[in-house]
Amino acid sequence: MIKKFLIKAKALRPKLNTTTHFAECSVAPMGAGDSAVIDFGTHLVGKVKIKFSYDGSPPDAPAFIRLKFCEHISEIDEDTSDYRGWISKSWIQEEYVHVDDIPSELKLNRRYAVRYIKIDVISISSKYRLKIDGASVDASTSAEKTVEPCGENARAAKIDEVALRTLKNCMQCEFEDGPKRDRRLWMGDLRLQALANYKTYKNYDLVKRCLYLFAGVSDKNGNIPACVFTRPRVIPDDTTMFDYSLLFIPTLLDYFTETGDKATAIELLPTALRQIEIAKESFDGDVLRDSDKLGWCFIDWSLELNKQCSAQGVYIFCEKCAAKLCELLGKDASALYDDAKKKTDAAISAFFDDKLGLFASGKDRQLSYASNIWMCIAGVFGKEKCRDILLRLEKTDAIRPVTPYLYHHYIQALIDAGESVRAKEIMYGYWGGMVDAGADTFWELYDPENPDASPYGSRTVNSYCHAWSCTPSYFIRKYFSGDKND
Ligand code: RAM
């Protein structure tokens, strides 16, 4: 841990803005076995209060109720009792509560990500019925401004509105990945949130704080962890990921390009460059080790994915960003450019299949969007060839992206290759699919072909407001505003 960085991060801790939202509560008085659903009309993140009263005789026994907090309508009737996923059940937003004094206002301590609250009366005296007189959420965010949705038509503006809300609700004391789960700062998510934030809420200090948090928790070897816990105190997670450590570099470069904050860029440059040095240890010559010997590298939540090729793409992209950052700061970048060139040549000879005209990964020569997207983002070929690769992919049964995270990179790769029109179609189709399925905020995972998909063995713990899915707001403002096609 590097104390001076953590002190800077602490000084940048934002004050949250809070607004109170009330729900319409026209619920009939409830007896044992009855249920009701309260709807706040939109997705909110904050503290919940519920006012109870009664009908009938004076309450001669407590009301024992279950409260279930749902981000998306599909969660309301999900049976949580048979949850068998591999991450903790404690992420499910539900509480069993005794309401002793009626009438009273129940103030829940925990922060929830919520649009709907389902209330089940488990047990109550037969002499009275429970009434709900009101419910509110004190919703918090560190986004300070109001940003109006935009887009070339109503569909685009709706997608932007949902993306803006996603980002806003993930902006708390850090850029959280998801306010339902995991409620913490992850590198891959941060990079995309920061990009969307620059085009919308422009909270530069929040990005700066997060950069210092990551740099501040780097280990003795200088390695940045994949995520940081900030409560009850700042500590690194004991997980590092090949790609997430490297992604500190473009995040710092983007921050510097956006703000011109040279002091921060200079101070954090050694941390950034260290990630390249550490990543180099995973190469045999100029080709990265195969997926099974690489340790955890995220890329996407597709569990069958071989990551050797895409990870090498991430490396090349990040090394070029490091070179650019050095150049901008007046430092010698030639060794970084030379190495990136070597890794590029090696990637082409190790992974490019001339017959298919596509990159293939691992000893089984697996075809995936991930490999080809990252090689294009890394710029291993020129624009025309990348365009050919990305369009050719569509005619194959290559493993498709399953998260908005990899979709973001897909859209970016298409734009970089001059295929803005196709990028736009894919973006509106994919994120629009979530809107059609009732999204107030965009999700952690969306596989149009498999609505029940979850990387955790159960969609009950999926997050429906997830940072890495907020980038339509970035693309719309940077590339798709008005009806410009390029
Ligand atoms: C998920 C987190 C986060 C992501 C990691 C890799 O569990 O929610 O968004 O960055 O995976």
Side-chain angles (χ1 to χ4, degrees), residues 231-294:
R231 289 173 306 271
R233 64 199 164 89
V234 176
I235 49 164
D237 193 4
D238 55 6
T239 306
T240 47
M241 300 200 285
F242 180 84
D243 51 346
Y244 272 32
S245 298
L246 284 167
L247 290 169
F248 181 81
I249 304 166
T251 313
L252 182 60
L253 172 64
D254 294 338
Y255 171 78
F256 177 51
T257 316
E258 199 59 38
T259 62
D261 177 356
K262 199 167 179 182
T264 298
I266 288 180
E267 186 160 47
L268 297 182
L269 182 67
T271 310
L273 296 179
R274 184 73 195 123
Q275 308 316 305
I276 296 282
E277 291 312 310
I278 295 167
K280 268 188 189 155
E281 292 163 18
S282 297
F283 280 81
D284 292 327
D286 288 316
V287 178
L288 198 61
R289 277 181 215 144
D290 204 352
S291 228
D292 51 340
K293 297 178 203 84
L294 189 61

Side-chain angles (χ1 to χ4, degrees), residues 177-178 181-182 186-189 226 241 244 296 298 301 444 456 463 466 468:
D177 62 334
R181 205 222 79 245
D182 310 323
W186 288 81
M187 191 71 233
D189 304 69
M241 300 200 285
Y244 272 32
W296 196 14
F298 178 62
W301 264 133
E444 172 180 22
Y456 314 112
S463 151
H466 215 71
W468 63 27

Side-chain angles (χ1 to χ4, degrees), residues 6 54 136 182 200 212 229 237 283 299 316 354 358 385 387 397 435:
L6 294 180
Y54 68 96
S136 62
D182 310 323
T200 56
Y212 275 106
F229 297 92
D237 193 4
F283 280 81
I299 306 290
I316 297 167
D354 283 312
L358 291 170
K385 185 124 184 177
R387 181 171 173 271
D397 56 2
V435 167

